[in-house]
Amino acid sequence: MMNKKIAIVGAGISGLSAGIYALQAGYSVTIYEKNKMAGGECTGWNRHGFHIDNCIHFLLGCNDSDQINEIWKNLGVLSDDVQLYREPYFYCMEKDGITLHLWRDLERTRKEFLEIAPEDQRELNLFFDCVKNCECIKPPCDISPAHMNLFQFMKMGMSMKQAAKANAEYGKQTMQEFVNRFQNPYVRGMFGNYFNSNFIAITFVTSYAFYTSNSVAIPMGGSVGMIQRMCKRFEELGGTLNLGVQIDKIHIKNNRIISIEADGQIEKDADDYIWCADPRDLFYQLIDVKYIDKNLKYMYDHQDGYVASTGYQAAFGIASDEELELPEGSVIFPCEPYTVANENHDFCGMRVYDYDASLFPKEKRVIQCNVLQNAVNYEYWEKLRSDKKTYDAEKERVAYCLMERLEQQYPVLKGKLVLLNTYSPVTFTSWCRAYKGGYMSFNALKGYKSKYVKSTVKGIDNLFLGSQWVQNSGGLPIAAASGKFAVQQLCKREQQS
Ligand SMILES: Cc1cc2nc3c(=O)[nH]c(=O)nc-3n(C[C@H](O)[C@H](O)[C@H](O)COP(=O)(O)OP(=O)(O)OC[C@H]3O[C@@H](n4cnc5c(N)ncnc54)[C@H](O)[C@@H]3O)c2cc1C
């Protein structure tokens, strides 16, 4: 096995994870990445002397006791040398001079909310108790759920049994239905303007539980630093990173991939292949849909039930080193209405980047705004993009609308904001080939079950699948675990043959 060669497509989190696990299993590994830099969606870039951190709002698995923590340490992402920043809250809402926070300290949040909304006491207490119970929810890290036997699946379920009540309460309810359980306008504003209204409420409850369990933090150095550490680990183990190579053809013979091709160039043959890029391209363009996992196909075929999260974003630099009274982290606030992709919005969501002096020194602080978008909005942006001038103008128009609202909310920002960059859902598709601009994978909507996708590909013996798309919700931990799972299945097949 020692000289067996593996080719991996995609140098995002999943591809680098697969590469590191494969090298550790004794394989020789080459990763092919279409972009000139590794990272995929976990990336950042500089504009006008400011840094834009595209990805990490929170990294799950920052406690030693978290199972995913072991994976992060193995991948070089976390170590004693990497400092962590723990934001005090998930997000807050400022309205009419009142600020509500979802603090890490659950009891502090309970107190704050009950003071504002005593009329919602019953529903609030139920919600906070359910958040506590959801602290046991962790992404699977040992074996892919798609490959678990019944016993293993039940064991995984048992490890999260405390969350059963929360699941019964909120597992079949949309965010809008969840919001309707509350009467107080501040509570409704807080819960109703952060997530998409058609998402299932348990996702929101679980996301907050990641904070209250203290499992999330932001590693200093941000998304780019995290990727650099993974690349370093990969290359120190002897891996080869081939950047700027887009795989556009795959040749199959006798149920095996015999070679892959990029721009007419046959890339060196490998014994096994791991696809860690968007699987839609793989099955619908490069090989044949007949090979697709039935769960994955079901999700693509039921677009009303499985949607990718995406957004329109604008980044602003704060051209001042003055002490400014700005909130920390993620904030939402009501504002004058504005339109994005023909939809009206009356809330603004922003995030202040000032916690990492290596990326955002005082004179280079950044604010990013994110307006959540869906598949319908995606079509809008995609159509608009066919005329680059109109597309750019529209992105800029929205950005200036948002800048105005930021200045109205925080007059200290007046005249200090510099527009750095705007990006729409189609940016993620052109950058990473992400399906419908998705920066997280499928979200199962009301009436649809979460699905797991196998790391093996039926009908092609030497092809394996990674990427965040193998599990609902996606995100960094799912992507990292998917790389490990793909190598696990590859090693298993090796042992069997
Ligand atoms: C704005 C934003 C904020 C986010 N915030 C968070 C967060 O706070 N916490 C969290 O957990 N997650 C977050 N995420 C999600 C996280 O970034 C993703 O889940 C994760 O990075 C996905 O990794 P991946 O390897 O599955 O896919 P990708 O990152 O898409 O990597 C796939 C790679 O394959 C390459 N590729 C595609 N096709 C080919 C081809 N044919 N040939 C060669 N290369 C190819 C792509 O260029 C890409 O580099 C965020 C994402 C975004 C965009």
Side-chain angles (χ1 to χ4, degrees):
M1 193 261 276
M2 265 339 240
N3 291 322
K4 275 210 152 192
K5 289 185 235 144
I6 296 183
I8 295 173
V9 180
I13 296 288
S14 61
L16 288 167
S17 166
I20 292 168
Y21 277 99
L23 288 162
Q24 288 169 333
Y27 294 92
S28 138
V29 182
T30 302
I31 299 183
Y32 298 94
E33 164 57 50
K34 82 174 192 40
N35 294 330
K36 296 258 165 63
M37 62 193 274
E41 298 201 342
C42 184
T43 192
W45 56 91
N46 298 330
R47 282 286 182 288
H48 309 301
F50 291 82
H51 183 72
I52 300 172
D53 190 343
N54 177 60
C55 177
I56 306 181
H57 300 79
F58 66 78
L59 182 70
L60 185 66
C62 291
N63 276 340
D64 282 349
S65 57
D66 296 329
Q67 231 191 340
I68 186 79
N69 187 269
E70 234 175 82
I71 294 185
W72 291 136
K73 283 184 177 153
N74 189 43
L75 298 178
V77 167
L78 297 182
S79 71
D80 291 342
D81 297 334
V82 179
Q83 274 192 318
L84 295 172
Y85 169 66
R86 292 185 192 269
E87 284 180 303
Y89 47 79
F90 177 16
Y91 70 93
C92 72
M93 181 193 71
E94 297 180 344
K95 189 176 176 205
D96 309 330
I98 289 174
T99 310
L100 274 179
H101 306 80
L102 287 176
W103 297 104
R104 262 177 205 272
D105 178 347
L106 185 62
E107 293 315 310
R108 185 174 176 189
T109 310
R110 193 192 298 264
K111 190 165 174 279
E112 193 173 280
F113 273 65
L114 288 178
E115 269 169 24
I116 295 273
E119 67 272 36
D120 286 324
Q121 185 181 13
R122 197 193 149 271
E123 282 297 336
L124 283 172
N125 277 328
L126 177 66
F127 167 64
F128 293 127
D129 293 346
C130 284
V131 170
K132 184 81 204 150
N133 292 338
C134 282
E135 289 181 0
C136 63
I137 297 182
K138 306 281 175 204
C141 295
D142 280 341
I143 307 166
S144 157
H147 292 275
M148 284 179 183
N149 59 34
L150 190 61
F151 173 72
Q152 289 162 329
F153 207 78
M154 281 168 65
K155 199 172 155 210
M156 178 178 77
M158 285 306 284
S159 71
M160 301 184 206
K161 70 171 189 297
Q162 264 191 311
K165 185 169 179 228
N167 229 337
E169 281 293 336
Y170 308 120
K172 291 190 173 134
Q173 200 160 64
T174 64
M175 274 309 285
Q176 188 55 59
E177 288 164 340
F178 169 69
V179 170
N180 290 345
R181 293 170 76 145
F182 301 91
Q183 297 171 42
N184 183 281
Y186 294 99
V187 174
R188 289 171 68 89
M190 177 79 175
F191 293 154
N193 290 286
Y194 190 78
F195 265 36
N196 298 65
S197 57
N198 61 346
F199 278 19
I200 294 296
I202 192 74
T203 319
F204 173 68
V205 182
T206 311
S207 301
Y208 181 35
F210 292 154
Y211 279 81
T212 61
S213 65
N214 217 19
S215 175
V216 294
I218 303 176
M220 294 295 102
S223 307
V224 170
M226 172 163 159
I227 289 299
Q228 280 170 349
R229 295 194 292 283
M230 286 180 85
C231 287
K232 185 164 175 256
R233 173 71 47 101
F234 174 73
E235 285 174 334
E236 277 173 2
L237 286 165
T240 306
L241 202 48
N242 251 335
L243 298 173
V245 182
Q246 175 160 348
I247 301 306
D248 52 21
K249 278 203 182 109
I250 295 182
H251 303 280
I252 300 169
K253 199 174 167 190
N254 301 332
N255 296 345
R256 292 183 69 79
I257 294 184
I258 50 164
S259 62
I260 54 179
E261 207 174 311
D263 207 11
Q265 185 92 22
I266 301 272
E267 293 298 327
K268 254 191 180 168
D269 295 358
D271 301 290
D272 293 289
Y273 296 81
I274 307 179
W275 184 267
C276 288
D278 192 281
R280 174 117 193 152
D281 276 359
L282 174 69
F283 293 108
Y284 287 85
Q285 284 184 26
L286 298 184
I287 50 174
D288 194 306
V289 76
K290 72 180 183 194
Y291 296 114
I292 198 171
D293 179 287
K294 66 178 190 323
N295 283 344
L296 189 57
K297 174 136 193 333
Y298 186 87
M299 292 191 278
Y300 287 132
D301 286 349
H302 293 82
Q303 293 188 21
D304 290 347
Y306 296 92
V307 296
S309 321
T310 184
Y312 161 90
Q313 295 179 76
F316 306 96
I318 304 177
S320 167
D321 60 0
E322 277 172 49
E323 208 58 68
L324 300 170
E325 278 196 23
L326 292 174
E328 269 185 89
S330 298
V331 189
I332 56 172
F333 57 84
C335 61
E336 268 180 33
Y338 60 98
T339 55
V340 181
N342 296 327
E343 280 174 5
N344 294 330
H345 295 262
D346 56 7
F347 256 76
C348 184
M350 71 157 198
R351 190 172 161 75
V352 181
Y353 290 79
D354 60 355
Y355 48 79
D356 184 341
S358 68
L359 299 176
F360 319 109
K362 212 162 183 191
E363 68 285 5
K364 297 287 176 198
R365 289 166 291 180
V366 169
I367 291 180
Q368 286 184 35
C369 291
N370 186 7
V371 184
L372 295 176
Q373 300 284 273
N374 56 33
V376 177
N377 308 142
Y378 180 82
E379 308 298 331
Y380 164 91
W381 288 108
E382 196 184 36
K383 207 166 152 213
L384 204 65
R385 201 167 189 251
S386 57
D387 176 359
K388 189 156 174 358
K389 222 169 134 188
T390 321
Y391 171 72
D392 286 344
E394 180 55 13
K395 280 194 305 165
E396 199 171 296
R397 181 197 66 79
V398 178
Y400 282 110
C401 275
L402 292 168
M403 188 195 268
E404 218 175 277
R405 276 132 194 92
L406 291 177
E407 289 176 348
Q408 278 160 3
Q409 181 73 6
Y410 304 105
V412 285
L413 289 174
K414 230 178 167 63
K416 298 192 179 80
L417 292 177
V418 188
L419 177 59
L420 302 177
N421 209 190
T422 57
Y423 32 119
S424 87
V426 287
T427 310
F428 296 110
T429 303
S430 58
W431 176 248
C432 288
R433 309 279 316 135
Y435 173 65
K436 304 269 183 204
Y439 51 58
M440 306 287 270
S441 84
F442 296 108
N443 256 294
L445 300 184
K446 189 170 170 168
Y448 292 86
K449 284 192 177 139
S450 276
K451 294 203 174 282
Y452 301 104
V453 176
K454 288 200 164 148
S455 322
T456 46
V457 178
K458 207 170 169 191
I460 308 183
D461 297 340
N462 61 345
L463 176 60
F464 300 85
L465 202 64
S467 101
Q468 62 165 341
W469 296 93
V470 300
Q471 220 175 290
N472 284 182
S473 291
L476 298 166
I478 301 292
S482 80
K484 172 184 168 180
F485 296 153
V487 174
Q488 217 171 41
Q489 290 303 317
L490 193 153
C491 293
K492 194 169 158 194
R493 187 160 292 171
E494 179 91 359
Q495 280 161 7
Q496 285 165 351
S497 60

